[in-house]
Amino acid sequence: DPVYEDMLSESRKMITNEKIDAYNEAAVRILNSSSRNSKAKVKVFSVSKLIAQETIMKSADGLHLPESSRDTNAMILMNVYCNKIMKPIDGSCCQPQPPLTLIQKIAFCFFTLSIFGYLIISLIHRNNYRKNKSCTDLESGEEKKPAISTPNVSTLEMLLHCFCKLGLIMTYFYLCDRANLFMKENKFYTHSSFFIPIVYILVLGVFYTENTKETKVLNREQTDEWKGWMQLVILIYHISGASTFLPVYMHIRVLVAAYLFQTGYGHFSYFWIKGDFGVYRVCQVLFRLNFLVVVLCIVMDRPYQFYYFVPLVTVWFMVIYATLAVWPQIVQKKANGNCLWHFGLLLKLICLLTCIYFLSYSQGAFEKIFSFWPLSKCFELNGNVYEWWFRWKLDRYVVFHGMLFAFIYLALQKHQMISEGKGDPLFSNRVSNVLLFISIVSFLTYSVWASSCKNKTECNELHPSVSVVQILAFILIRNIPGYVRSVYSSFFAWFGKISLELFICQYHIWLAADTKGILVLIPGYPMFNVLVSTFIFVCVAHEISQITNDLAQIVVPKDNSTLLKRLLCIAGFFSGLHFFSAMQDQSRH
């Protein structure tokens, strides 16, 4: 290793780095001179020299290296020889690129064919369009009107266009988090790395304030705004590694619970008011929730449960649907004719709460239910359903709270017990002021309790029962004053419309190593790297949202007979997926 010549004693002044380099070159040349086989040549640990050049200045005598260099050398040696065998999730160094699975190869071929198919069809349509364009009449000198003003886009062309864009996006996903093309870096939490970006986006959100189209409680603009700022806070939480700071962790748990609260509130309100329990509605919701995750499971070779939030909202949607659709179907129109139907609905909700309570305290029963095929294929992670049990149990009551809140709110609205006019407080001035005071105190009380948490396990046990306190407090604070209810932030609402895509895409193209690290597109410039990767990440999430909406209109038609045929095709697709997955597992064993 090199020496620090300025610190050498007089008796060691003859040791120079120039001579050391010459000796090293001679040693390597002699060691490898008798070996004609390139594989048998001696591999020199040359990185040791680079480490020594950085650490020798900390040496006590200029000759002997400090212990930090030995530790770094040992770490690199272990990475070189151990990572390719142990394959740690947080180690991007020295691991061979995982081979493509059979399903990934089929997906690659499918997207490639879609790209070529779209190019061929678009060229044919463009040529036909040019032939029908306006041309000059040579005799009259007048310009004829075109037979077709715009090129017609067929369903097949739109479908191929969506898959073409999706194929390019999935290629980017694979290169970012599976191909070892880009570097990854670890997360290091500091208070400033979390709170400064939070303040920045809050200021931006306030600057983009607009009037709402309607002034109802939890109107569409308001819920989009709510989803948007929560998603941005969660993204900052993930990239800053703030999960190590317990008070922040507990508040983020409330944000995740608030998403599920909105799931209960939104779907209950729809079924209660519309009374639409048709297959079309169910398929539309399931497709929009699961399309991106299914594609990522195929392309990135990850289990469905890995993207835990989507299975969570999917199961809760089906629970809400089953609760309201099962006989007797009780909807608002029927309940208005007879108040006894309201008690019938409350009875259904009590039965749902009882089931939730039973499963939350019976892990064995829960695991038996989700260990049956084909549910086990969806909810197992690392060979068991414990992760799914943990995620479900963590927010087990909040969807029920959202359904109950929707029922109470819609009942109050129906009996005109609340005022939702523009600028009007929700209740009378006295009641509004009392509720507002209680809400602020409750909100702050929860924050104080969460900040005083000492043990994550104990706090997680209490979280399912108390998270609704801060959620309801926020809703009342946001909606009781009429002037606050009448405005929203279009900045946050824009992000709220793509919140699901942002949550899922972050796994691979913003974070890295399956959320354990941070993607590095531009090494050496951390701030510039975050800006560039964030810009690409948001654009990709927005584009995927558009693709999902377009495909939902094509794949899930309103006609029941056509929809049934599509469902059979989808069932065949998943059967084929299961078949190839089974073949793949057999080949591995």
Side-chain angles (χ1 to χ4, degrees):
D1 288 323
V3 296
Y4 191 39
E5 297 179 17
D6 294 345
M7 290 183 66
L8 292 174
S9 61
E10 289 298 324
S11 60
R12 292 171 175 168
K13 285 292 184 182
M14 76 291 292
I15 305 173
T16 63
N17 288 324
E18 186 179 354
K19 289 181 180 179
I20 290 173
D21 291 340
Y23 273 110
N24 284 335
E25 288 173 10
V28 172
R29 187 171 62 252
I30 292 167
L31 287 168
N32 291 325
S33 61
S34 60
S35 176
R36 295 182 181 179
N37 185 0
S38 60
K39 291 184 179 179
K41 286 187 176 180
V42 174
K43 293 182 181 179
V44 179
F45 190 59
S46 55
V47 74
S48 176
K49 177 182 177 181
L50 299 175
I51 294 169
Q53 287 174 345
E54 295 293 327
T55 59
I56 191 64
M57 288 178 286
K58 299 177 183 177
S59 170
D61 56 6
L63 178 65
H64 298 95
L65 294 170
E67 288 190 7
S68 59
S69 62
R70 180 191 61 189
D71 295 339
T72 308
N73 275 303
M75 180 179 67
I76 292 173
L77 271 172
M78 285 188 282
N79 272 273
V80 169
Y81 288 100
C82 300
N83 282 7
K84 59 188 176 184
I85 299 169
M86 299 177 68
K87 298 178 182 177
I89 192 65
D90 60 344
S92 59
C93 159
C94 318
Q95 290 192 54
Q97 184 176 332
L100 288 172
T101 64
L102 178 61
I103 295 175
Q104 286 176 312
K105 290 175 182 176
I106 293 171
F108 174 76
C109 293
F110 172 78
F111 284 126
T112 304
L113 290 173
S114 298
I115 292 170
F116 282 114
Y118 172 71
L119 292 174
I120 291 168
I121 289 178
S122 60
L123 285 172
I124 293 171
H125 279 199
R126 187 169 292 181
N127 288 333
N128 292 337
Y129 175 63
R130 284 176 178 173
K131 288 177 184 178
N132 293 317
K133 259 189 169 183
S134 59
C135 57
T136 305
D137 190 328
L138 295 176
E139 293 182 0
S140 63
E142 294 178 356
E143 188 177 291
K144 292 182 179 179
K145 291 183 179 180
I148 301 173
S149 58
T150 55
N152 293 320
V153 179
S154 65
T155 302
L156 178 61
E157 185 177 357
M158 185 183 294
L159 194 66
L160 290 174
H161 182 224
C162 290
F163 283 128
C164 176
K165 291 192 291 184
L166 188 63
L168 295 174
I169 289 170
M170 288 300 115
T171 302
Y172 178 67
F173 270 78
Y174 187 86
L175 292 176
C176 285
D177 208 23
R178 285 297 176 272
N180 292 337
L181 181 64
F182 299 111
M183 294 174 61
K184 287 88 178 174
E185 64 183 16
N186 290 321
K187 305 173 187 178
F188 294 101
Y189 174 73
T190 60
H191 292 320
S192 60
S193 67
F194 176 76
F195 289 105
I196 290 176
I198 294 290
V199 173
Y200 179 68
I201 63 164
L202 287 177
V203 171
L204 274 177
V206 171
F207 271 109
Y208 288 88
T209 302
E210 297 180 15
N211 291 325
T212 58
K213 293 178 182 177
E214 54 181 356
T215 56
K216 293 181 179 179
V217 173
L218 293 181
N219 56 67
R220 185 57 183 268
E221 289 99 341
Q222 190 184 128
T223 53
D224 283 339
E225 174 203 82
W226 193 7
K227 290 177 184 176
W229 70 256
M230 286 195 303
Q231 185 56 62
L232 292 175
V233 171
I234 290 171
L235 290 175
I236 295 169
Y237 164 82
H238 282 153
I239 200 169
S240 64
S243 59
T244 57
F245 187 47
L246 193 54
V248 171
Y249 167 82
M250 291 307 300
H251 282 86
I252 296 299
R253 289 292 349 141
V254 175
L255 300 189
V256 175
Y259 268 100
L260 294 171
F261 182 94
Q262 286 193 50
T263 297
Y265 171 83
H267 292 307
F268 178 92
S269 299
Y270 178 87
F271 290 128
W272 175 251
I273 295 169
K274 302 284 185 181
D276 177 14
F277 297 99
V279 180
Y280 172 74
R281 166 69 181 179
V282 175
C283 292
Q284 276 277 332
V285 173
L286 292 180
F287 183 88
R288 291 174 189 273
L289 287 176
N290 290 275
F291 172 71
L292 175 58
V293 165
V294 170
V295 174
L296 285 176
C297 288
I298 294 169
V299 173
M300 306 301 287
D301 190 28
R302 281 292 172 266
Y304 180 62
Q305 182 55 36
F306 176 76
Y307 307 94
Y308 74 92
F309 187 73
V310 170
L312 204 55
V313 291
T314 300
V315 167
W316 278 118
F317 167 72
M318 293 306 298
V319 168
I320 296 165
Y321 176 80
T323 303
L324 297 177
V326 73
W327 184 89
Q329 286 186 3
I330 305 172
V331 295
Q332 190 178 58
K333 188 176 181 181
K334 183 186 287 187
N336 288 340
N338 190 340
C339 291
L340 291 175
W341 287 116
H342 287 93
F343 292 104
L345 181 62
L346 287 174
L347 189 62
K348 279 189 172 186
L349 292 178
I350 291 169
C351 290
L352 173 61
L353 180 62
T354 304
C355 293
I356 294 170
Y357 183 82
F358 171 73
L359 288 175
S360 66
Y361 288 97
S362 179
Q363 185 176 351
F366 185 93
E367 290 182 352
K368 282 181 181 179
I369 292 171
F370 290 97
S371 295
F372 285 113
W373 188 90
L375 290 178
S376 59
K377 286 290 180 183
C378 296
F379 298 102
E380 280 186 355
L381 191 65
N382 301 321
N384 59 68
V385 295
Y386 176 78
E387 180 70 16
W388 167 235
W389 151 259
F390 171 76
R391 295 293 182 184
W392 176 85
K393 188 181 178 183
L394 203 54
D395 295 299
R396 57 188 179 272
Y397 297 127
V398 74
V399 173
F400 169 81
H401 292 147
M403 296 170 69
L404 186 61
F405 175 82
F407 174 71
I408 295 170
Y409 161 66
L410 292 171
L412 292 174
Q413 187 186 62
K414 187 67 181 176
H415 292 89
Q416 298 181 347
M417 297 177 69
I418 54 176
S419 174
E420 295 180 302
K422 190 173 182 179
D424 296 335
L426 206 57
F427 303 97
S428 64
N429 288 332
R430 184 177 179 180
V431 173
S432 295
N433 290 335
V434 171
L435 285 176
L436 201 57
F437 175 76
I438 294 172
S439 300
I440 293 171
V441 171
S442 301
F443 190 93
L444 295 176
T445 301
Y446 180 90
S447 293
V448 170
W449 171 79
S451 300
S452 62
C453 271
K454 302 298 180 185
N455 185 293
K456 185 180 285 189
T457 304
E458 292 177 3
C459 292
N460 280 341
E461 284 295 322
L462 289 171
H463 167 77
S465 303
V466 299
S467 60
V468 70
V469 172
Q470 195 162 42
I471 294 170
L472 289 177
F474 171 79
I475 292 172
L476 293 176
I477 293 169
R478 182 71 177 80
N479 286 277
I480 285 176
Y483 59 90
V484 177
R485 194 175 64 250
S486 305
V487 295
Y488 78 106
S489 169
S490 57
F491 175 78
F492 290 141
W494 187 88
F495 284 99
K497 291 174 183 176
I498 58 171
S499 58
L500 183 66
E501 289 76 15
L502 288 170
F503 191 88
I504 299 166
C505 290
Q506 66 168 325
Y507 279 69
H508 303 295
I509 61 169
W510 198 52
L511 305 175
D514 297 330
T515 73
K516 297 296 188 296
I518 300 170
L519 179 66
V520 179
L521 298 176
I522 306 170
Y525 300 92
M527 290 301 297
F528 187 54
N529 172 70
V530 169
L531 290 174
V532 171
S533 64
T534 301
F535 176 76
I536 297 172
F537 159 58
V538 173
C539 290
V540 166
H542 181 267
E543 193 61 35
I544 289 176
S545 177
Q546 294 294 324
I547 292 170
T548 304
N549 290 333
D550 292 341
L551 287 176
Q553 303 304 319
I554 299 170
V555 177
V556 187
K558 290 185 177 180
D559 180 62
N560 285 334
S561 60
T562 309
L563 179 57
L564 182 61
K565 293 176 184 176
R566 298 280 169 83
L567 289 175
L568 290 173
C569 292
I570 292 171
F573 167 77
F574 281 108
S575 299
L577 204 62
H578 174 66
F579 173 73
F580 287 122
S581 178
M583 286 180 57
Q584 186 175 293
D585 291 341
Q586 286 180 358
S587 63
R588 283 175 179 173
H589 292 309

